[in-house]
Amino acid sequence: MHRRISVLLAVLAVSLAAALLGAGAASASPLDPPGGTTDSQTTPGDDPGGGGGGTSDPCDLYTPDSCMGGDGGSGGGGGGGGTGNPSPPSAQVVQVMVDNARLAAKKALVDKPKCFDLLSLTDSRSPGTLNPVRVIDTVPVTYVNDGTLDFGYSPGLGVDGRISILPGFYFITFDPAYQNQGYVDPSLYFDLPAVQLSVADMQLVVILHELGHLTGVNVHEGDGRAPLLPEEVGQEFNTQIYVNCLDQGAAYQ
Ligand SMILES: [Zn+2]
């Protein structure tokens, strides 16, 4: 509990620092607060950067924090993704997947008390602004094609935040043949000897991971530059999501 409170204080401190820096300012904080999260799914850098207009780095649009960008640092993005990242078929198709994951996230929170507690700073069921069920019911959870292979980002705090899901969410695959086109290495994202995951399961993990940023329980470092380290993708928190929120993880409780 004390650790969680400390985390919240750290979050508030970072948020205050970001506010003092001015809206939209790009700081280089090593933290990854709710106000500025993007989560890469795999090694970025496969985008040659040719698809973006010079100053349209999507990271600068949304976060006062350092961004786990997926464009290799060359200013790509801008909607097209260049030639490096394939484009999802349509925003509507991806949004359906996002909506399904959101429903699955709410179901996990409602059906699994340990999952709720994991996502809650206080474990309280009262409908405060950081109550994870209220947050997932309230905030926009929207697909945004920023041309990266990141999972998503979640600026703001509690019911005042939002979750933006990025193309990497759609391209999740566990086939190592797709190293730079959506491959998810479970051993990077989970600290367990073996995990059983479908694509939908991993998408659920993504939504709950982002929700954790908004409720203040998920704070991890990361600059988004390959090679990603376990702590930079929130491995510890992802593992707890697997254990407490996914049916197949219950055996680890
Ligand atoms: Zn994250």
Side-chain angles (χ1 to χ4, degrees):
M1 182 65 72
H2 178 266
R3 188 190 66 81
R4 285 185 168 187
I5 292 174
S6 297
V7 166
L8 177 60
L9 291 175
V11 166
L12 293 174
V14 170
S15 298
L16 177 60
L20 291 173
L21 286 170
S27 71
S29 168
L31 289 176
D32 184 9
T37 300
T38 57
D39 292 299
S40 298
Q41 70 168 17
T42 182
T43 53
D46 57 326
D47 184 339
T55 60
S56 63
D57 186 338
C59 301
D60 293 335
L61 298 178
Y62 309 109
T63 172
D65 194 29
S66 60
C67 183
M68 296 181 70
D71 60 14
S74 55
T83 58
N85 300 338
S87 295
S90 76
Q92 289 74 19
V93 168
V94 185
Q95 187 63 48
V96 169
M97 300 169 77
V98 172
D99 293 343
N100 287 337
R102 178 181 187 157
L103 289 173
K106 181 178 179 181
K107 180 173 171 54
L109 291 168
V110 171
D111 291 351
K112 296 179 167 61
K114 290 182 178 178
C115 182
F116 182 98
D117 291 346
L118 174 67
L119 271 294
S120 171
L121 267 179
T122 63
D123 299 351
S124 169
R125 267 59 180 174
S126 65
T129 58
L130 295 179
N131 181 303
V133 172
R134 185 176 168 200
V135 174
I136 198 65
D137 266 343
T138 303
V139 303
V141 184
T142 310
Y143 171 65
V144 177
N145 183 3
D146 69 345
T148 74
L149 282 172
D150 296 340
F151 284 146
Y153 54 83
S154 41
L157 189 65
V159 295
D160 297 321
R162 71 176 188 276
I163 297 173
S164 294
I165 296 299
L166 305 177
F169 179 93
Y170 173 81
F171 287 107
I172 289 170
T173 175
F174 304 103
D175 184 345
Y178 297 91
Q179 281 291 332
N180 290 321
Q181 296 181 34
Y183 172 61
V184 168
D185 179 358
S187 69
L188 172 63
Y189 285 88
F190 302 94
D191 183 23
L192 291 170
V195 295
Q196 301 173 7
L197 285 170
S198 66
V199 170
D201 290 333
M202 188 65 198
Q203 290 172 333
L204 170 58
V205 171
V206 169
I207 294 284
L208 290 170
H209 177 110
E210 297 303 327
L211 178 63
H213 283 305
L214 293 184
T215 60
V217 297
N218 178 21
V219 180
H220 59 80
E221 299 179 356
D223 63 5
R225 303 306 179 201
L228 293 171
L229 301 174
E231 56 268 31
E232 293 178 321
V233 299
Q235 186 193 73
E236 182 180 357
F237 188 67
N238 297 336
T239 302
Q240 290 304 309
I241 291 175
Y242 183 88
V243 170
N244 293 294
C245 301
L246 274 61
D247 291 336
Q248 63 269 43
Y252 289 96
Q253 291 179 13

